[in-house]
Amino acid sequence: MERLKEEAAQLLTERILPFWMKLKDERNGGFYGRVNADLAVDRVAPKGGVYGTRLLWTFSAAYRAVGNAAYLACAEHAYAYLRERLHDPVHQGIYWLTDAQGQPLDDRKHLYAQAFAIYALSEYYRASGNPSALELAQRLFELIERVGFEPASGRYKEEFTRDWRERPNELLGGKGTAELTMNTHLHLLEAYTNLYRAWPSAEVKERLTHLVHLFRDRIYDPDTGYMIVFMDRGWNRLTDLISYGHDIEASWLIDDALRALGIEDAACDRMIRRIAYTIADAAMLPDGSVANEKEGDRLDDTRVWWVQAEAVVGFVNAWSRTGDSRFGELAQQVWSYIGERIVDARPSGEWHAEVNAAGQPARKDAAGPWKANYHNGRCCLQLMERLA
């Protein structure tokens, strides 16, 4: 495991972060929104709200871990874009998408994007001590709780117009525009965990505890050992889709929330362990990678970059929680696969977005609205911290 820690630090500081630092848009703010499969930078591509907040989180977290002032400068640059361009000064909240100059291109508000803003702002506050970042995170938290939470069902709503009128969940609802998704609730839990570390208020503690209980009692299916991906507002399952990456990610993020709260929960312990064993049994592929998802009898064995990253952290977390050496071995297998197939060997490359069963990378963008440095950067940071 010592080797994993050292390799993670090297990969983070020598390949992942340098790639993204070169994308800083000095003219329009933020970071260029797209790098194609040939590693050509698209300087007029739109800039996503999720993309921008993920970059802010990663550079902030990297600065806290390593102390390199250049990372803090990138975080400050990303924070300025969030405040000046991604944040709606009229109706509050974070836009889904801006154009290259920072003007709203898709002004819908989605709780998923708001959650990532809270996650990033909390981390930036922890890195910089800038009180305005925490104040904005607090305002977003209060906004989500005021307009996004539905007390009758206990759920969080998903998609809204710019002025916060609920609308069908087209952005993240799947084919049936599900009114409730595991994905959005997971990243709210992640965001509130980080907010609680930055601002340990009773209200954040209560809402974070509620989210943990939603996963334990509503979203997790103890009969299968998987999370339910898409639901209606009555918590009824809409599809039999299984998302292996989200499940293993959920296992360690829920554990992280419990640690932040300082509580133990026997049912959560069983859930965390069961998910890890279920993914280990069902999702591992012969080459040491992790499959993407399964729906019905159709297995999608695409090796997706973020699924591999979350699997490494999830297996290390399971190894720590259970003491089962199998999880340590699985973490090392997936890490080896990442080094051999997912890391882009080109001198200026970062990670391939997808790799097929033959080990060939797909011609997918190297950077874009859904591909930033958050999953792989966080994987490295988690290994550096957990294996220290």
Side-chain angles (χ1 to χ4, degrees):
M1 285 297 185
E2 180 69 21
R3 177 179 62 84
L4 262 69
K5 183 192 73 173
E6 294 173 355
E7 290 180 357
Q10 183 178 11
L11 187 59
L12 178 73
T13 59
E14 296 182 10
R15 181 168 290 271
I16 296 174
L17 294 178
F19 174 89
W20 297 94
M21 293 168 76
K22 294 175 183 176
L23 300 184
K24 186 189 289 186
D25 184 347
E26 300 285 6
R27 180 175 181 178
N28 297 306
F31 292 76
Y32 294 121
R34 178 174 179 256
V35 177
N36 72 14
D38 295 319
L39 303 182
V41 179
D42 184 348
R43 297 173 184 269
V44 296
K47 299 171 180 176
V50 173
Y51 176 81
T53 53
R54 286 178 170 182
L55 290 168
L56 173 58
W57 181 88
T58 307
F59 282 119
S60 300
Y63 174 73
R64 286 206 311 114
V66 179
N68 186 333
Y71 302 158
L72 181 60
C74 285
E76 290 168 342
H77 187 77
Y79 173 64
Y81 192 81
L82 187 156
R83 282 195 68 93
E84 297 166 11
R85 298 299 186 183
L86 292 176
H87 182 252
D88 182 349
V90 178
H91 298 288
Q92 305 304 302
I94 302 299
Y95 298 124
W96 188 254
L97 194 68
T98 68
D99 65 17
Q101 288 72 43
Q103 298 304 310
L105 195 60
D106 186 338
D107 62 11
R108 281 177 289 182
K109 307 290 173 58
H110 200 289
L111 256 59
Y112 187 93
Q114 315 312 310
F116 269 102
I118 290 174
Y119 188 53
L121 289 163
S122 302
E123 192 67 19
Y124 177 63
Y125 170 73
R126 296 174 73 196
S128 68
N130 187 334
S132 66
L134 181 59
E135 290 167 6
L136 182 51
Q138 291 168 331
R139 292 205 305 271
L140 290 173
F141 168 76
E142 292 161 359
L143 177 65
I144 288 172
E145 292 301 321
R146 186 174 69 253
V147 304
F149 180 61
E150 185 176 80
S153 66
R155 75 174 179 121
Y156 284 87
K157 303 172 188 177
E158 301 259 344
E159 186 170 326
F160 298 83
T161 61
R162 179 180 180 180
D163 59 355
W164 292 100
R165 287 173 287 120
E166 189 178 9
R167 49 164 292 139
N169 187 18
E170 296 174 352
L171 290 168
L172 292 177
K175 297 176 183 177
T177 61
E179 294 174 290
L180 199 164
T181 72
M182 175 265 206
N183 197 8
T184 293
H185 284 72
L186 179 63
H187 292 295
L188 277 172
L189 176 139
E190 167 190 67
Y192 283 11
T193 299
N194 216 34
L195 180 61
Y196 186 64
R197 288 193 168 111
W199 177 43
S201 73
E203 186 177 6
V204 176
K205 182 177 184 179
E206 190 274 329
R207 302 316 299 154
L208 177 57
T209 303
H210 173 73
L211 280 160
V212 170
H213 291 169
L214 284 182
F215 276 89
R216 182 193 67 188
D217 301 334
R218 294 286 196 174
I219 301 175
Y220 172 65
D221 182 354
D223 293 332
T224 65
Y226 296 114
M227 295 291 181
I228 304 171
V229 177
F230 296 124
M231 293 153 279
D232 64 21
R233 68 176 59 200
W235 300 94
N236 299 300
R237 183 196 302 267
L238 297 177
T239 175
D240 62 357
L241 177 68
I242 299 166
S243 178
Y244 298 128
H246 285 112
D247 279 17
I248 195 65
E249 182 182 18
S251 71
W252 79 263
L253 285 177
I254 294 168
D255 210 350
D256 194 45
L258 291 172
R259 285 196 297 270
L261 290 167
I263 61 176
E264 295 184 7
D265 184 294
C268 283
D269 178 67
R270 290 192 296 272
M271 172 178 64
I272 291 164
R273 291 168 181 260
R274 174 78 184 284
I275 292 171
Y277 279 109
T278 300
I279 298 303
D281 291 339
M284 290 300 300
L285 297 168
D287 57 10
S289 64
V290 180
N292 181 31
E293 60 187 26
K294 185 177 183 180
E295 187 168 13
D297 295 328
R298 186 189 67 83
L299 175 69
D300 178 359
D301 65 358
T302 307
R303 284 71 164 168
V304 180
W305 101 98
W306 71 264
V307 174
Q308 314 311 311
E310 295 302 335
V312 174
V313 182
F315 288 144
V316 168
N317 186 75
W319 172 61
S320 176
R321 178 170 274 271
T322 66
D324 189 338
S325 61
R326 179 189 181 193
F327 290 119
E329 293 166 1
L330 288 174
Q332 293 183 76
Q333 287 177 27
V334 181
W335 182 256
S336 294
Y337 181 86
I338 289 171
E340 294 167 5
R341 297 296 185 183
I342 299 294
V343 174
D344 187 343
R346 291 174 292 182
S348 58
E350 193 233 23
W351 284 26
H352 297 298
E354 295 180 3
V355 174
N356 66 19
Q360 300 168 329
R363 286 193 58 77
K364 298 276 188 174
D365 288 349
W370 290 107
K371 188 171 186 298
N373 55 9
Y374 145 79
H375 286 289
N376 55 1
R378 185 173 67 178
C379 173
C380 294
L381 289 164
Q382 284 288 316
L383 292 177
M384 291 161 60
E385 178 182 342
R386 289 168 180 263
L387 304 178

